[in-house]
Amino acid sequence: MKKPVINLSVRELIQTVLNSGDGRFGFSSPARALEGIEVHKKVQDSRGEDYNSEVPIRIKVDGGDLALEIQGRIDGVFKQGDLTVIEEIKSTRQSLAKLDPAPDGLHFSQALVYAHIFAEQNKLTEVMVHLTYYHVSSGETRIFERHCPQAELSALFKQMTDQFLERSREIYHWQETRDASIRELTFPFPDFRQGQEILIDEVKQAVESQYNLFVQAPTGLGKTLATLYPAIRSMELGTGSQVFYLTARTTTREAAETALLQLEQKGLRFKSITLTAKEKVCFKTETYCEPEYCEYIAGYFDRLNDAARDIFTNDRFNRDLIVSYAEKHRICPFEFSLDLSLLCDCIICDYNYLFDPRVYLTRFFNGKGRDYVFLVDEAHNLVERSRSMFSALLEKKEFLDLSRMVDRKKDKDLFGALKALNDYLLEARKERRLETVKFISEPEVPQRFIDLVEDFLAPSESILSGKHDLPYREKLMESYYRAAFFIKIFKMAGQSDAFVCAFEQKGSNVGIKLICLDPSKMIAKATKKSRSTIFFSATLMPEDYFFGLFGGIEGTDQSFQLDSPFPPENLSVSLIDSISTKYRDRHLSYEDIADYLSVFVSQKRGNYLIYFPSFAYLNEVYQRFAERAADLDLFRQERFMTEPERDRFLQKYAADSNKSLVSFVVSGGIFGESINLPGEQLIGVAVIGVGLPQINKERDLIRSYFESRSGGGFHHAYTYPGMNRVLQAAGRLIRTVTDRGALLLIDDRFGSKLYRRLYPSGWPEIQSIHDGRHLAETLQTFWQEQD
């Protein structure tokens, strides 16, 4: 049997073996990594001609049953007399005079490991190590020097690698158990649903051949299981290292957990974890992640390994289990989950852990990536989510409010920076006549504003790095991160016309926003961290729309569509195209729609969902419908419903009742997708309107951007996102092969050629309805045929 090889960097070795003490998960500068790169270059460029920078090293360690392959880059190598010097460079804002790096601390240990590997490769008996600190503000350096015989370096290196191997054996022996279970794994059901086996084969081929796949597969096909199953099989074959199941909603995360449980019941041994937002698992009343405030962060690394070994006897690490073990070992549950994820085979998490520049998992995705498999569920949601992730907003009110909290004498630099930003936005409002026009776009962010934001970041970082008892610390930290993110997006945008700057006035407040119009390049950059990314949804049409927005590569990546596995005769689709639901015409439609809905729900007792494009429209029709409703159980969605309220509502659909349940909800909202109501739980869905997003200035910028490239700008900005809402709502209806249901579409645009081309191929012939009597006859015929 081939010996397992663990690939890791020198930094990973050091951090795994030597991390101890408190966790520092509070304030950290997002600019520190870039700053470190700039510092390294300054120091390296200041050295002589015989100085070699970024020297690659690699060594293999035989650990008996395991092997390590350790690699990295030495900051600098040069000669000092007869000795070779290994230089490790670190940036700092602390006083150089007060620095006293521990001989066995992280910084020196990293330099010593580099020194050993270089000496081993070049057969040197001794080397000199320089640990060089560069002060970011002053530009001064301080060097700590250490003479190192290779025998001492070798002993230290062996001690570290022995510790790492000891910690790794349990994991890698576990992987033997996992792979053996995968070899014996069979599909958890005796029969495949129609199209499910095809999807499994397509995912398998994509992972093996290393390309991205775009799949439209109808609701109820079993996409979750059909994508996870081949991804898991790839790990035993060596074509996948970890699976990331990426979702937009809690319900789809639960579906992934259920699929893994079904495979576990067939004998699969597989470590999986579901990542939960910090705010939902924090033990404290405030998520202030400093050891001075949080006892679960204080001493975190001293207790982490025991907690990890304890929980590792389980296979599925869900929220409740993680919280339980974190409480037992007195460590932060959120950071514990992130550290556990490194030991897991499958990570179930939100999109933002891969795509969002603010919170993506740096421990996985900061390097070149590995043989990861990304499964992107409900991928149609990624379009708007990614635009939001890659857009940034700063507002005048934020700077003004903060300036009123700051001590202008003690922190005069910070106060001055805040005042300058507030003054700039006041002047911008005046120059751009925002009190009149409200919104104006420009190709680029003014450089003057960028300079002022950076002037704010410098004193903010200095204060946040040193003062923990400021009354406005939390407010300052929030503003700092928003400002740093704005700069990050500004640099990401560069000269690209996929971003645009906009000034907007809302009330007395003025904001400046960097808007991402086209997220395709950023999504493509993220998916390059994987071996293969599978985008799948019931609504990925039109194909070229999503293929382009997700950064698909023509000639390499592939897309395909699966037909519905359900008999078309189980579904009735009726269309009323004599009513306009355009905003200007809505007041004329309230009575007619209420009449048609009354007919729709009266043909068969059961549960119905009625979708509207807005709360205002919903409420107008609801009032009129309620006057006509006799012996019906009515529900109306309210704004800002909580998850428990949503769950209580859905429980109504599972309960037996002698009345029909008719619920008025909003398209694209919390009831618009990812709810599963099979069988008699739902027998009818009506969709009023074509679901267009609200027409506004930002949407019009998206329209103009795509119109200038390939035409069809209105469809990119409005039509396709709207139709996705419609199809997602319709998809709530037929969930299994035995389900029967009636769908009613109301809008004159639904009858146009454009919209008819967007209907799923698995729908039956659509019945055009002339009046209420015709609708009643059509539905009576359909329901009689089903009985």
Side-chain angles (χ1 to χ4, degrees):
M1 182 178 176
K2 188 177 179 181
K3 182 184 298 186
V5 177
I6 304 173
N7 293 286
L8 71 157
S9 67
V10 171
R11 181 188 292 270
E12 288 170 330
L13 171 68
I14 299 301
Q15 290 180 336
T16 302
V17 173
L18 297 183
N19 251 347
S20 63
D22 299 338
R24 288 282 178 181
F25 307 121
F27 173 75
S28 63
S29 168
R32 189 61 57 83
L34 181 60
E35 182 180 87
I37 294 170
E38 293 171 349
V39 163
H40 278 63
K41 191 168 189 317
K42 284 180 181 178
V43 175
Q44 291 164 343
D45 289 347
S46 71
R47 304 305 191 209
E49 292 183 1
D50 63 340
Y51 186 89
N52 298 300
S53 61
E54 303 299 323
V55 178
I57 51 96
R58 182 185 296 267
I59 192 170
K60 195 163 186 175
V61 178
D62 189 346
D65 53 343
L66 293 176
L68 303 179
E69 191 160 302
I70 303 168
Q71 59 186 321
R73 286 182 177 272
I74 303 173
D75 291 337
V77 178
F78 62 97
K79 281 285 189 177
Q80 184 173 288
D82 293 332
L83 281 177
T84 297
V85 178
I86 306 298
E87 183 171 45
E88 175 67 14
I89 303 167
K90 299 294 182 185
S91 64
T92 184
R93 292 181 181 274
Q94 298 180 42
S95 168
L96 292 178
K98 294 180 180 178
L99 285 177
D100 185 22
D104 58 352
L106 293 175
H107 288 179
F108 247 129
S109 296
Q110 187 174 352
L112 296 175
V113 169
Y114 282 133
H116 163 71
I117 299 173
F118 187 87
E120 183 76 16
Q121 288 178 339
N122 293 276
K123 303 193 180 339
L124 303 177
T125 58
E126 58 181 346
V127 293
M128 184 70 74
V129 168
H130 282 185
L131 180 56
T132 301
Y133 286 92
Y134 178 98
H135 195 275
V136 174
S137 299
S138 70
E140 296 176 349
T141 60
R142 184 179 179 188
I143 299 173
F144 294 85
E145 191 174 84
R146 185 165 166 182
H147 176 263
C148 302
Q150 169 63 345
E152 290 182 13
L153 292 173
S154 181
L156 175 66
F157 183 72
K158 185 176 188 308
Q159 180 183 353
M160 288 186 182
T161 53
D162 283 350
Q163 288 183 44
F164 187 90
L165 285 162
E166 182 181 352
R167 296 182 184 188
S168 302
R169 280 193 174 91
E170 183 177 359
I171 299 168
Y172 277 81
H173 289 160
W174 148 257
Q175 289 181 357
E176 292 175 0
T177 301
R178 178 200 71 190
D179 289 350
S181 76
I182 294 175
R183 281 192 291 273
E184 301 298 321
L185 183 65
T186 58
F187 197 70
F189 297 101
D191 299 308
F192 293 102
R193 294 180 183 176
Q194 181 182 322
Q196 202 171 36
E197 197 168 11
I198 296 172
L199 179 53
I200 289 170
D201 289 340
E202 290 287 349
V203 172
K204 175 177 178 290
Q205 182 61 41
V207 174
E208 288 180 357
S209 301
Q210 296 183 261
Y211 59 80
N212 296 339
L213 188 64
F214 302 79
V215 183
Q216 172 163 298
T219 299
L221 180 136
K223 297 184 289 293
T224 302
L225 191 56
T227 51
L228 271 170
Y229 180 68
I232 290 169
R233 294 299 298 263
S234 74
M235 296 179 70
E236 189 272 327
L237 298 172
T239 54
S241 59
Q242 283 173 301
V243 176
F244 288 80
Y245 194 96
L246 299 145
T247 76
R249 298 173 185 266
T250 302
T251 46
T252 45
R253 291 196 282 278
E254 291 169 350
E257 291 174 335
T258 299
L260 288 172
L261 177 60
Q262 291 167 340
L263 291 167
E264 183 182 301
Q265 291 168 347
K266 294 293 288 185
L268 175 67
R269 298 296 310 281
F270 204 67
K271 302 287 184 187
S272 66
I273 188 166
T274 302
L275 299 182
T276 306
K278 181 188 294 188
E279 294 75 15
K280 293 185 177 181
V281 294
C282 183
F283 293 142
K284 306 291 284 185
T285 54
E286 296 181 9
T287 55
Y288 180 41
C289 304
E290 296 290 354
E292 295 82 4
Y293 169 77
C294 178
E295 65 271 29
Y296 301 98
I297 291 298
Y300 173 84
F301 288 111
D302 295 332
R303 301 187 293 276
L304 173 61
N305 287 333
D306 286 343
R309 276 193 289 269
D310 195 9
I311 200 173
F312 203 71
T313 56
N314 299 277
D315 283 1
R316 287 180 290 115
F317 307 139
N318 59 26
R319 171 178 170 173
D320 291 342
L321 188 74
I322 292 167
V323 166
S324 172
Y325 277 83
E327 198 163 24
K328 175 182 176 182
H329 291 272
R330 309 292 292 168
I331 60 175
C332 169
F334 180 70
E335 293 298 331
F336 186 36
S337 70
L338 297 183
D339 285 317
L340 274 177
S341 68
L342 292 167
L343 310 178
C344 290
D345 307 305
C346 179
I347 295 96
I348 303 169
C349 58
D350 189 88
Y351 293 158
N352 59 13
Y353 287 103
L354 170 62
F355 297 105
D356 194 322
R358 288 162 290 198
V359 297
Y360 75 99
L361 296 172
T362 55
R363 62 197 68 205
F364 291 103
F365 307 134
N366 247 7
K368 293 182 178 179
R370 296 180 179 171
D371 278 346
Y372 303 133
V373 177
F374 297 156
L375 304 178
V376 185
D377 195 0
E378 303 278 359
H380 61 277
N381 285 308
L382 184 58
V383 176
E384 297 306 323
R385 279 286 299 276
S386 60
R387 281 199 178 110
S388 176
M389 289 174 191
F390 301 121
S391 297
L393 169 69
L394 290 175
E395 294 179 301
K396 171 189 169 297
K397 184 178 186 300
E398 180 171 17
F399 301 123
L400 179 61
D401 290 348
L402 187 54
S403 70
R404 289 169 174 167
M405 302 178 188
V406 170
D407 188 322
R408 65 178 65 192
K409 292 182 179 179
K410 290 183 179 179
D411 296 317
K412 61 181 181 180
D413 289 345
L414 175 59
F415 178 80
L418 290 166
K419 184 178 184 303
L421 282 164
N422 183 68
D423 291 347
Y424 175 88
L425 289 170
L426 280 172
E427 187 63 28
R429 175 169 65 190
K430 182 178 177 181
E431 288 180 353
R432 291 163 177 81
R433 298 184 299 109
L434 288 174
E435 290 184 346
T436 303
V437 299
K438 302 301 182 186
F439 184 100
I440 189 169
S441 64
E442 300 176 4
E444 298 178 356
V445 181
Q447 185 59 47
R448 173 64 179 149
F449 182 74
I450 295 299
D451 293 341
L452 291 174
V453 174
E454 290 180 332
D455 288 345
F456 161 71
L457 291 175
S460 299
E461 183 173 337
S462 178
I463 291 169
L464 290 168
S465 297
K467 300 179 182 178
H468 296 281
D469 56 351
L470 286 174
Y472 58 86
R473 178 183 171 85
E474 185 175 348
K475 175 71 174 173
L476 176 60
M477 190 183 301
E478 291 174 358
S479 298
Y480 174 88
Y481 280 132
R482 272 193 285 272
F485 180 66
F486 193 96
I487 296 296
K488 185 171 190 174
I489 295 298
F490 171 76
K491 292 179 178 178
M492 184 185 294
Q495 300 300 311
S496 170
D497 60 354
F499 291 81
V500 68
C501 171
F503 288 83
E504 184 173 19
Q505 176 161 334
K506 292 182 178 179
S508 61
N509 195 19
V510 180
I512 179 170
K513 187 173 185 180
L514 251 174
I515 303 169
C516 176
L517 306 174
D518 179 2
S520 58
K521 289 184 180 178
M522 283 67 72
I523 292 176
K525 182 179 179 181
T527 59
K528 283 179 182 175
K529 301 292 184 184
S530 74
R531 179 185 184 90
S532 175
T533 300
I534 315 299
F535 298 95
F536 57 101
S537 168
T539 53
L540 281 190
M541 291 293 282
E543 185 179 288
D544 56 350
Y545 167 74
F546 287 102
F547 192 90
L549 282 175
F550 293 160
I553 302 173
E554 293 287 348
T556 300
D557 297 335
Q558 296 185 20
S559 60
F560 75 101
Q561 178 180 355
L562 286 168
D563 292 333
S564 172
F566 309 129
E569 59 268 20
N570 288 8
L571 174 68
S572 166
V573 182
S574 300
L575 167 62
I576 299 171
D577 57 4
S578 57
I579 295 176
S580 170
T581 70
K582 295 183 179 73
Y583 185 79
R584 64 176 181 269
D585 299 328
R586 287 180 182 174
H587 66 288
L588 302 174
S589 68
Y590 303 150
E591 296 289 346
D592 288 342
I593 291 176
D595 285 338
Y596 275 117
L597 292 178
S598 181
V599 173
F600 180 63
V601 303
S602 64
Q603 305 310 308
K604 183 177 176 64
R605 183 170 61 84
N607 298 334
Y608 294 83
L609 279 171
I610 315 297
Y611 290 91
F612 285 84
S614 71
F615 280 101
Y617 203 178
L618 179 156
N619 288 328
E620 291 287 355
V621 177
Y622 180 88
Q623 293 172 15
R624 292 159 175 80
F625 179 84
E627 295 171 359
R628 297 160 169 77
D631 202 31
L632 296 176
D633 188 1
L634 299 183
F635 170 84
R636 173 169 46 176
Q637 181 183 347
E638 301 294 340
R639 296 178 189 268
F640 313 117
M641 286 180 69
T642 64
E643 277 195 32
E645 289 171 336
R646 171 189 177 278
D647 292 340
R648 285 195 294 272
F649 160 71
L650 291 177
Q651 288 169 6
K652 285 175 166 281
Y653 279 78
D656 291 331
S657 175
N658 57 3
K659 290 184 178 182
S660 287
L661 171 61
V662 182
S663 300
F664 283 52
V665 298
V666 173
S667 298
I670 56 175
F671 302 114
E673 57 183 276
S674 302
I675 59 173
N676 189 28
L677 301 171
E680 294 298 315
Q681 293 185 48
L682 183 66
I683 67 165
V685 167
V687 182
I688 288 81
V690 292
L692 299 186
Q694 184 177 12
I695 293 177
N696 57 41
K697 299 287 188 180
E698 282 194 30
R699 281 273 155 196
D700 284 343
L701 289 172
I702 296 171
R703 178 178 66 177
S704 298
Y705 172 85
F706 284 101
E707 188 66 39
S708 67
R709 272 148 189 76
S710 54
F714 185 86
H715 300 325
H716 273 79
Y718 294 102
T719 306
Y720 300 149
M723 195 57 183
N724 265 277
R725 293 179 180 179
V726 171
L727 296 179
Q728 281 293 322
R732 301 313 94 207
L733 193 54
I734 303 293
R735 312 293 293 184
T736 73
V737 292
T738 58
D739 287 359
R740 308 287 192 274
L743 172 65
L744 176 63
L745 304 175
I746 301 179
D747 191 293
D748 55 0
R749 289 164 287 189
F750 279 132
S752 69
K753 288 182 180 180
L754 169 64
Y755 279 90
R756 286 183 180 273
R757 285 199 300 268
L758 298 176
Y759 293 151
S761 59
W763 278 8
E765 182 180 353
I766 297 173
Q767 302 296 314
S768 293
I769 301 301
H770 309 305
D771 53 35
R773 182 177 177 180
H774 184 201
L775 177 62
E777 291 172 352
T778 300
L779 291 173
Q780 287 168 10
T781 301
F782 170 74
W783 289 121
Q784 287 170 4
E785 290 173 350
Q786 305 306 314
D787 292 338

